[in-house]
Each structure stands twice: as structure tokens, then as C-alpha cells.
Amino acid sequence: MAEDKVTEDMSSVQITASAEDEDVVDPWNVTSKSDTGIDYDKLIKRFGSSKIDAAVIERFEKVTGHKAHPFLRRGIFFSHRDLNTILTAHEQGKPFYLYTGRGPSSAAMHLGHLIPFIFTKWLQEVFDVPLVIQLTDDEKTLWKDIKLEEAIRLSYENVKDIIAVGFDPEKTFIFSDLEFIGQCPAFYQNMVRVQKCVTFNQVKGIFGFGDSDVIGKISFPAIQASPAFSTSFPFIFGKAKLPCLIPCAIDQDPYFRMTRDVAPRIGMPKPALMHSTFFPALQGAQTKMSASDDNTAIYLTDTPKQIKNKINKHAFSGGCATVEEHREKGGNCDVDISYQYLTFFLDDDDKLMQIKIDYTSGAILTGELKKELITILTALVGAHQERRAKVTTEVIKQFMEIRKLKYNYS
Ligand code: TYM
């Protein structure tokens, strides 16, 4: 029988805020009372992860021979677990793989969802390792008012956006839980191994489940845990027991603290993680961009006109009330959403720095900042839509077929 005792990893899995003034960060809610958003340093302490600091970035660059991605240099991927183990494996030419995912709750993905996928694509290029992408359509039918068939349909809509990010089909396996798991006994066997290790009390503590939650929710964490074990994919990895690196926003961490706790008990390596901050809602950094409210999010399906209107109308401004006041006192980049978005998507470090200086001094106005952002996002979303339009049924099949990737394992 699984023991009910709280082990080291499980003890730090408490995800709901214990004090009134604490930020709430869990797979379903992200809220902060502060205008500047989540206090990520505090979160690292609370979750017990490690900061991606200058020394980690330096080692990353040295080991990979690649200049750090802007998301790393700018603190967007800010926290990790065991990244050094992965870097050492890479240094020694030992194999590992990447794992990430998406819960298809809506047909259109938004800009926030792109963050982990853009970064994962870069990691795939840097490390040249296999990547598995899980579409948790089972999770979405369990949590939302979405029929099972509809959840599968949404997986097939979202997979087009994911493929459009530019993954390599020879190195990438994408799967829908509802379609794949029934075809892969090894995956199901790992799910049951995980289920044997975690008690109801523990998942209640980790995820806050209550007595009236359906039983599917209670067992779901084992499904998100299983892709972190290479033996779940024998057609890719054979019998090799490889570590993996999981890039995701920090809201997904509770699943993987549980996974890391279970791993050694089922004879598998603990997955490593790289966590990102949240791409904020248009209305301000107190919440993440979320698909539940059309006006808080910019979707990958939005037209140039919609993007322009949403930013002009809804993007929270750190500027002053009048032009005169703004010229005199300057704007506040720490709360200005247009500036925050530029930190994600304006690649030119010097230009970003200049914008910060000019906005803070009052030399540029909110309207000018928004104009810059609209130009960048319109181009980014437009290019994404062009790539997405080329994702045919044939291309989807290429990524989702159960098959060997281009790597050999003994
Ligand atoms: P989902 O669909 O909520 O989110 C997909 C990925 O996007 C991240 N994310 C964000 N990142 C930055 N800013 C935001 N505003 C934002 N909103 C969402 C999420 O952290 C996630 O990385 N249960 C998962 C699906 C999943 C998964 C995984 C995710 C299954 N296995 C492994 C990451 C890694 C979910 O519903 O993600």
C-alpha cells in the first residue's frame, strides 16, 4: 500500500496560498493583489525550486555553445529543478528528452500559451533531443463543460497551432490522451505505477480536490506524470530509462513535484523542469492571460484589427493621466502591460532598453509604446497564421503517428 506520509517533495506541494496576502498560483488560478503581478522570488521559496540566475545561464551557454534565448536572459524562464543534471548529461553526451503539453480547452490558443512552446522549440534545436507533447483532452473534459468528442476535436485544432511553432517532425511525437493511451499499454502501466504511489490525502493536499470532485480528476495527475517517464514510450526509447526536461509555466509545477516524488519509487529518474513567468492579461499583471475571457487575451486567430483594438482599448497603461503629467513624471514600466509584452516579443535588447529609458523619462507616450507593440504582435500573429494554414491533415498525422523518432536507444 502507498504510505500516507508526507515526503520531502510532497511537503512543498501545497499549492493554495496559506496567507491572505499571498499570490495564488496553481494549475487553475493565477492571481496576485499587487499591480506588478506575482512575486516570483517568493514563489521560488514557497515551491522550493531554484532560481535561474546569472551562474546558471552562464553554464547553460558554456555547455550548449548557444547564446541564451531572450526568455532566459530576461528572466522569463526564471526557475528550475535539476537543470544542472540535464546540462551535465548534455556535456557528457548522455541521452535525455523534452516533454511539454497543452490542455485543449478552446479552439484558439492565446499568446501566453505560445511561451513554453517557443522556448521548447529553441531547446529542441539547442539540444537535438526527442520531444513529446501531451494534449490533455481528458483533463479538459473532466474539468470543463466540454463533451469528450469535443475535447478530441479541440486537440486537433490546437495541434495545428503547436505544429505551426516549427517543431521538427523527425524529433517530435504529439499525442492526444483520449486517443493514444488506449493504444499504448506501457503508458497505462506507468499511470498505474504512479497511482499506486500517491494517496487520496496527498492529491487533496497538492491539488485541493474535495469530496464532490469526480474521481477522474483525482486520478488525472498520474496521466500528466506518465510522459515524464521514458518507459511510457517504448516505440521511441525502447527500454531506456532516460531523464527528461519539462519546460512549462510555473502553474504546472504541482503535477511535477508529485512526479518527482514518485520517480525514484518506481525506479525512474526525476524529471527536471524549467519554469516560466506568466504572460499577463491585457488588464494588468494581477492575473495571467487566460482563455476564459475574450478581452483579457490576444488569440492566435485574432485579425490585425482585433489586435489593434484590444491593445488600444484594454492594455493597462503605466502612463500618467495627462500628456503634461506624463512628460514630467514618466511612465511605470513595471505595471505597463504593453511594455511587459515587449519584454516577451521584442528580440532587440538595445531597442527594448531604449524604450524603457524613454518611457520611464516621459520622452515617449503610452500611445507610441502601444503602436510599437501592435506592429510586433501583428507581424508575429500573421506569420503564425500563415504557418498554421499550411498544417494539413497529412502533416498532423506525421507528428501524431505512433512511431520511432530519428534517435536510436539501446
Ligand atoms: P495549458 O493548456 O493551461 O497551458 C499550456 C502551457 O502554457 C502555459 N501557460 C502560460 N504560459 C505563460 N503565460 C500564460 N498566461 C500561460 N497560460 C498557460 C502552461 O503552463 C503550459 O505550459 N495540464 C496542462 C497540459 C500539460 C502540460 C504538460 C503542460 C500536460 N502535460 C507538461 C506543461 C508540461 C494544461 O492544461 O496546460
Side-chain angles (χ1 to χ4, degrees):
M1 269 214 18
E3 284 179 52
D4 221 15
K5 88 176 162 69
V6 174
T7 57
E8 198 191 328
D9 267 343
M10 291 279 192
S11 68
S12 61
V13 168
Q14 206 61 36
I15 53 164
T16 37
S18 49
E20 279 263 303
D21 60 340
E22 276 197 330
D23 299 331
V24 176
V25 175
D26 66 39
W28 306 282
N29 302 292
V30 174
T31 52
S32 168
K33 290 202 171 115
S34 160
D35 287 350
T36 51
I38 309 291
D39 183 332
Y40 289 106
D41 282 331
K42 256 194 188 168
L43 204 60
I44 285 178
K45 283 206 188 100
R46 218 168 87 209
F47 279 13
S49 60
S50 307
K51 195 176 167 98
I52 299 184
D53 56 16
V56 175
I57 294 176
E58 199 187 318
R59 175 151 196 246
F60 192 103
E61 289 187 330
K62 192 166 158 246
V63 168
T64 63
H66 284 257
K67 183 172 182 209
H69 190 278
F71 288 175
L72 272 175
R73 300 201 303 270
R74 296 180 187 168
I76 290 169
F77 272 81
F78 73 105
S79 153
H80 75 97
R81 294 181 187 276
D82 277 349
L83 178 60
N84 279 314
T85 314
I86 293 293
L87 292 177
T88 303
H90 185 69
E91 213 167 25
Q92 298 174 346
K94 291 191 181 148
F96 63 93
Y97 68 104
L98 295 164
Y99 158 41
T100 194
R102 154 82 179 138
S105 54
S106 55
M109 282 169 56
H110 58 61
L111 284 176
H113 294 132
L114 269 190
I115 308 305
F117 288 105
I118 290 174
F119 192 65
T120 304
K121 177 190 174 252
W122 181 75
L123 290 175
Q124 183 181 59
E125 285 163 7
V126 166
F127 289 125
D128 187 13
V129 291
L131 161 67
V132 297
I133 301 179
Q134 179 179 43
L135 299 169
T136 51
D137 35 20
D138 46 356
E139 176 191 11
K140 294 305 154 183
T141 193
L142 286 165
W143 260 269
K144 306 241 166 194
D145 186 17
I146 298 175
K147 285 214 166 72
L148 198 139
E149 293 75 11
E150 173 65 359
I152 298 176
R153 189 188 74 80
L154 295 178
S155 275
Y156 278 86
E157 281 305 310
N158 285 189
V159 82
K160 293 182 199 159
D161 279 316
I162 294 169
I163 292 170
V165 172
F167 296 105
D168 183 339
E170 293 203 315
K171 304 178 186 174
T172 310
F173 173 56
I174 308 181
F175 62 98
S176 129
D177 283 348
L178 288 170
E179 291 197 336
F180 165 70
I181 295 173
Q183 300 176 57
C184 186
F187 191 102
Y188 181 62
Q189 287 162 20
N190 274 341
M191 273 170 54
V192 176
R193 286 189 181 101
V194 176
Q195 286 168 353
K196 249 181 103 138
C197 290
V198 187
T199 66
F200 181 39
N201 254 349
Q202 286 169 331
V203 284
K204 271 203 280 194
I206 301 167
F207 299 97
F209 298 143
D211 285 350
S212 49
D213 276 312
V214 296
I215 59 172
K217 287 188 184 179
I218 293 151
S219 59
F220 174 76
I223 307 179
Q224 185 153 330
S226 293
F229 304 127
S230 57
T231 48
S232 297
F233 307 100
F235 48 94
I236 301 175
F237 302 110
K239 290 195 169 128
K241 295 183 172 182
L242 306 185
C244 75
L245 171 63
I246 308 173
C248 57
I250 198 155
D251 58 338
Q252 299 298 310
D253 189 63
Y255 286 111
F256 301 119
R257 271 176 284 168
M258 185 199 84
T259 310
R260 283 168 56 81
D261 184 81
V262 168
R265 292 151 70 194
I266 64 168
M268 295 299 293
K270 287 185 179 194
L273 284 119
M274 291 178 88
H275 301 120
S276 79
T277 59
F278 298 105
F279 192 76
L282 279 161
Q283 280 75 2
Q286 291 96 336
T287 54
K288 67 170 180 172
M289 181 168 278
S290 148
S292 47
D293 177 351
D294 271 6
N295 289 324
T296 72
I298 294 173
Y299 293 97
L300 299 175
T301 45
D302 282 351
T303 61
K305 196 169 162 210
Q306 282 172 313
I307 294 173
K308 187 173 170 196
N309 285 343
K310 282 183 183 179
I311 292 170
N312 281 335
K313 241 175 146 173
H314 299 295
F316 184 79
S317 165
C320 296
T322 64
V323 173
E324 293 70 32
E325 200 189 338
H326 185 86
R327 293 273 185 230
E328 191 195 325
K329 295 185 181 152
N332 180 357
C333 286
D334 291 341
V335 299
D336 192 285
I337 286 298
S338 301
Y339 177 75
Q340 297 296 320
Y341 285 9
L342 286 175
T343 66
F344 284 81
F345 291 120
L346 173 59
D347 280 345
D348 184 335
D349 289 337
D350 295 338
K351 192 165 180 192
L352 185 68
M353 176 64 81
Q354 195 56 51
I355 288 175
K356 184 169 190 181
I357 294 168
D358 291 346
Y359 193 62
T360 309
S361 72
I364 60 171
L365 303 172
T366 301
E368 293 166 276
L369 192 64
K370 288 191 171 186
K371 195 161 167 250
E372 180 72 39
L373 178 67
I374 290 165
T375 307
I376 289 174
L377 291 188
T378 307
L380 181 121
V381 173
H384 179 88
Q385 288 172 357
E386 272 176 33
R387 290 192 302 271
R388 189 186 199 272
K390 293 192 187 122
V391 180
T392 57
T393 316
E394 210 32 58
V395 173
I396 295 175
K397 210 173 138 210
Q398 226 187 332
F399 279 91
M400 298 187 75
E401 205 164 20
I402 297 180
R403 68 201 192 281
K404 186 177 169 304
L405 299 178
K406 71 166 221 188
Y407 305 90
N408 292 318
Y409 300 96
S410 50

